[in-house]
Amino acid sequence: MGVRRFEVGEVRLTRVPYFDVPLDPEVTGLSAAQIQALTWAVPTWATAEAKVLIGQAVWVVEAHDQVIVIDPCGAADSFLRTGPQAIVHQQAVADALRSAGYGVDRVDTVILSHLDGIGMTAAVDADGAWSPFFPKARVAISEAELDRVRAHPELEGASALWALLDAGVVEPVGSGWAPAPGVVMEVTGGHSSGHALVRIGDGAVFLGHLALSP
């Protein structure tokens, strides 16, 4: 779908895609007829052939002088962050960001709505060691979610998060934390007990996960 940009008040949102794959609507519990009945579905999350677009992307939020990313390529560790292809994927995502005007060293903050794999929050090397994917960024996660991960060290992505904690880049935050004017993180529970959403002014909400059903 290409890079897409949106203005919400004084905040700019940019979706930098890695891939968007069209799948049969049945995977989401919808029928082709239901999708075709929604005039707003195409091209936002469906194709003209009534396929549902499932994608991996990095959302970039520019608010005043801050550059923030939210859940970069999350919930796909089994595909993107494991095995020898993990390094290939992370280089490809870094290249996509650079082409869109966002080198990884431009990012100030990474917001994790919850831990569902580490996504592109961390980079892995040939020896399997993890380090920050965005070298100058702090990683914000709710205190409640961090407590959940501590209680369940078997969670996918936990070992990478521990490496980031050891590197001193993880910042546990409470509900209502605002990294920049117009950007607020709210702990709501949901996919996990520490799950948070991110509000962008009065015009956008990041739910913190792929929509389970459009």
Side-chain angles (χ1 to χ4, degrees):
M1 294 175 65
V3 173
R4 301 186 68 188
R5 304 183 195 274
F6 308 86
E7 305 292 335
V8 180
E10 297 182 354
V11 179
R12 168 177 280 189
L13 309 179
T14 302
R15 183 183 189 269
V16 181
Y18 182 30
F19 61 76
D20 288 288
V21 179
L23 298 178
D24 290 334
E26 287 74 19
V27 300
T28 61
L30 297 172
S31 67
Q34 287 174 310
I35 293 174
Q36 290 166 341
L38 299 172
T39 57
W40 56 275
V42 180
T44 305
W45 55 267
T47 70
E49 294 75 30
K51 300 276 189 177
V52 176
L53 292 169
I54 303 298
Q56 281 296 319
V58 179
W59 278 95
V60 182
V61 179
E62 295 174 86
H64 295 259
D65 61 346
Q66 293 291 301
V67 178
I68 302 162
V69 300
I70 301 174
D71 289 337
C73 291
D77 274 22
S78 59
F79 174 61
L80 296 180
R81 313 305 292 134
T82 57
Q85 291 299 307
I87 295 175
V88 175
H89 288 304
Q90 69 192 21
Q91 185 58 56
V93 172
D95 290 345
L97 283 164
R98 191 178 302 108
S99 294
Y102 305 103
V104 294
D105 58 352
R106 277 197 63 195
V107 176
D108 302 295
T109 302
V110 178
I111 294 178
L112 290 181
S113 63
H114 64 303
L115 188 73
D116 195 344
I118 199 65
M120 292 298 166
T121 304
V124 67
D125 64 20
D127 295 323
W130 294 94
S131 62
F133 182 75
F134 300 96
K136 296 181 180 180
R138 57 183 172 171
V139 177
I141 188 171
S142 78
E143 295 167 339
E145 183 67 0
L146 195 56
D147 288 343
R148 182 183 79 95
V149 179
R150 286 194 177 103
H152 299 280
E154 76 283 357
L155 288 171
E156 191 170 46
S159 61
L161 183 63
W162 299 144
L164 298 183
L165 276 163
D166 291 342
V169 301
V170 176
E171 181 178 347
V173 300
S175 190
W177 177 74
V183 182
V184 180
M185 186 172 171
E186 297 179 11
V187 180
T188 58
H191 193 70
S192 70
S193 56
H195 190 152
L197 55 78
V198 182
R199 293 190 184 277
I200 309 297
D202 295 324
V205 178
F206 286 89
L207 300 178
H209 213 298
L210 173 74
L212 299 182
S213 172

